[in-house]
């Protein structure tokens, strides 16, 4: 049954050990990080940046939020740009995968520079390097894996056009909710508030929800083993991160509405 489903929506695996190995590594690593978030061991950025500090005696290097976020996203963006040079001859899917990944991380860089308004929190260097490495390796491997599928038989179910639509809608939704978060602060205001507007009345992390949908859209466009594993791992990680974020709001604000879920409206 699983094999039939795989043939229906996923390209045959290329004759390279890199792609299947990286697929397993990405899925296991991201899922592990998601479970760690639920258990209270957080990657140290945004509002959860210092929750592990009391448990660690090791001195940690802290970056400013803007610098740390640029470290997260710029390498992946540059990997996407470089792919247009490294793989100039491409079919439509390869072009779309390169374009959507590059656009996704370009949008994040633009938001870091011009949209986000930062609190006094920061990004611990160890976490910045880990996340940056994950995004960079994911972008590079996903594009390389797509390049290797050129000339392969197409999956029986072609999902690339629904994927384009889903990616565009999710990118808009993610950007919109980042703007809503930014509007909660003036330039001199560093305090956190309970977000309101958009889907914040239903879930505390709608920007994560739309990021999940964006990567599902990229998987639909790509339809490779690696894009499936990375997307599944990302879903597990953001489930864990959104759970931890909701728990943080409940601990900080007595008036936080209990019916607001973490990631999925009315469900979780």
């Amino acid at each position: 049954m699983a094999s039939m489903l795989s043939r229906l929506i996923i390209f045959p695996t290329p004759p390279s050990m890199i792609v299947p190995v990286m697929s397993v590594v990405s899925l296991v690593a991201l899922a592990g990080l998601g479970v760690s978030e639920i258990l209270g061991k957080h990657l140290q950025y945004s509002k959860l940046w210092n929750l592990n500090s009391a448990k660690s005696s090791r001195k940690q290097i802290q970056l400013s939020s803007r610098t740390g976020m640029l470290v997260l996203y710029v390498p992946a963006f540059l990997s996407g740009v470089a792919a247009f040079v490294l793989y100039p001859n491409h079919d439509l899917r390869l072009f779309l995968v390169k374009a959507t990944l590059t656009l996704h991380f370009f949008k994040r860089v633009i938001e870091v520079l011009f949209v986000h308004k930062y609190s006094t929190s920061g990004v611990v260097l160890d976490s910045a390097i880990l996340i940056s490495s994950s995004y960079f390796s994911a972008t590079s491997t996903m594009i390389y894996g797509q390049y290797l599928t050129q000339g392969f038989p197409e999956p029986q179910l072609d999902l690339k056009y629904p994927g384009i639509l889903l990616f565009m809608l999710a990118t808009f939704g993610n950007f919109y909710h980042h703007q809503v978060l930014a509007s909660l602060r003036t330039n001199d205001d560093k305090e956190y508030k309970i977000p309101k507007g958009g889907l914040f009345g239903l879930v505390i992390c709608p920007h994560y929800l739309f990021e999940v949908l964006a990567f599902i859209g990229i998987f639909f466009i790509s339809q490779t083993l690696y894009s499936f594993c990375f997307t599944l791992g990302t879903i597990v990680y953001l489930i864990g991160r959104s759970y931890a974020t909701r728990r943080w709001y409940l601990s900080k604000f007595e008036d936080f509405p209990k019916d607001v879920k973490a990631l999925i409206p009315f469900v979780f």
Side-chain angles (χ1 to χ4, degrees):
M1 181 69 178
S3 177
M4 290 178 58
L5 181 62
S6 173
R7 288 196 299 270
L8 182 65
I9 63 172
I10 294 179
F11 275 99
T13 304
S16 166
M17 286 302 296
I18 295 176
V19 174
V21 168
M22 288 299 294
S23 298
V24 173
V25 169
S26 291
L27 176 56
V28 172
L30 287 167
L33 289 172
V35 173
S36 294
E37 291 286 342
I38 292 173
L39 296 177
K41 185 173 177 57
H42 310 296
L43 289 179
Q44 293 174 279
Y45 65 95
S46 188
K47 57 185 63 63
L48 307 179
W49 78 274
N50 66 343
L51 292 189
N52 297 339
S53 299
K55 305 174 185 178
S56 175
S57 59
R58 184 169 61 89
K59 186 175 182 179
Q60 296 174 318
I61 300 173
Q62 179 189 346
L63 306 175
S64 70
S65 292
R66 178 176 278 111
T67 300
M69 291 295 177
L70 288 175
V71 171
L72 264 57
Y73 300 120
V74 168
F77 166 64
L78 294 177
S79 175
V81 171
F84 284 93
V85 178
L86 294 172
Y87 310 111
N89 300 317
H90 47 69
D91 59 17
L92 178 58
R93 279 189 195 270
L94 178 56
F95 171 77
L96 290 172
V97 169
K98 292 189 293 186
T100 50
L101 286 169
T102 304
L103 178 62
H104 176 77
F105 290 109
F106 176 71
K107 178 186 78 71
R108 293 301 289 123
V109 170
I110 293 299
E111 288 171 339
V112 168
L113 292 174
F114 303 111
V115 176
H116 295 328
K117 294 177 182 175
Y118 300 99
S119 69
T120 55
S121 64
V123 180
V124 172
L125 181 60
D126 290 1
S127 292
I129 292 173
L130 178 62
I131 298 169
S132 180
S133 299
S134 174
Y135 282 145
F136 176 81
S137 64
T139 301
S140 303
T141 306
M142 199 178 302
I143 294 171
Y144 176 66
Q146 198 71 45
Y147 172 76
L148 293 179
T149 65
Q150 291 187 110
F152 280 31
E154 287 273 331
Q156 298 173 36
L157 184 61
D158 185 353
L159 298 175
K160 66 176 173 290
Y161 294 113
I164 294 170
L165 179 61
L166 180 58
F167 174 79
M168 292 173 63
L169 291 174
T171 297
F172 173 79
N174 181 263
F175 179 74
Y176 170 75
H177 286 92
H178 281 153
Q179 284 192 309
V180 171
L181 285 174
S183 70
L184 297 175
R185 288 194 184 116
T186 64
N187 289 331
D188 297 326
D189 186 3
K190 305 296 183 183
E191 295 300 316
Y192 282 102
K193 300 178 176 67
I194 299 174
K196 293 180 173 61
L199 294 184
F200 280 108
L202 298 176
V203 293
I204 196 58
C205 296
H207 48 310
Y208 287 174
L209 173 62
F210 283 106
E211 184 165 357
V212 164
L213 293 175
F215 277 112
I216 292 175
I218 293 173
F219 162 64
F220 282 0
I221 294 168
S222 174
Q223 294 189 243
T224 61
L225 175 64
Y226 182 82
S227 63
F228 172 77
C229 289
F230 178 78
T231 298
L232 183 58
T234 297
I235 291 171
V236 177
Y237 171 68
L238 290 178
I239 284 173
R241 187 74 181 185
S242 64
Y243 175 86
T245 299
R246 183 177 185 273
R247 184 169 56 195
W248 181 88
Y249 274 102
L250 284 168
S251 69
K252 187 171 179 65
F253 298 99
E254 293 182 359
D255 58 339
F256 182 81
K258 303 299 188 293
D259 58 337
V260 172
K261 302 297 184 181
L263 185 68
I264 306 171
F266 312 111
V267 177
F268 174 81

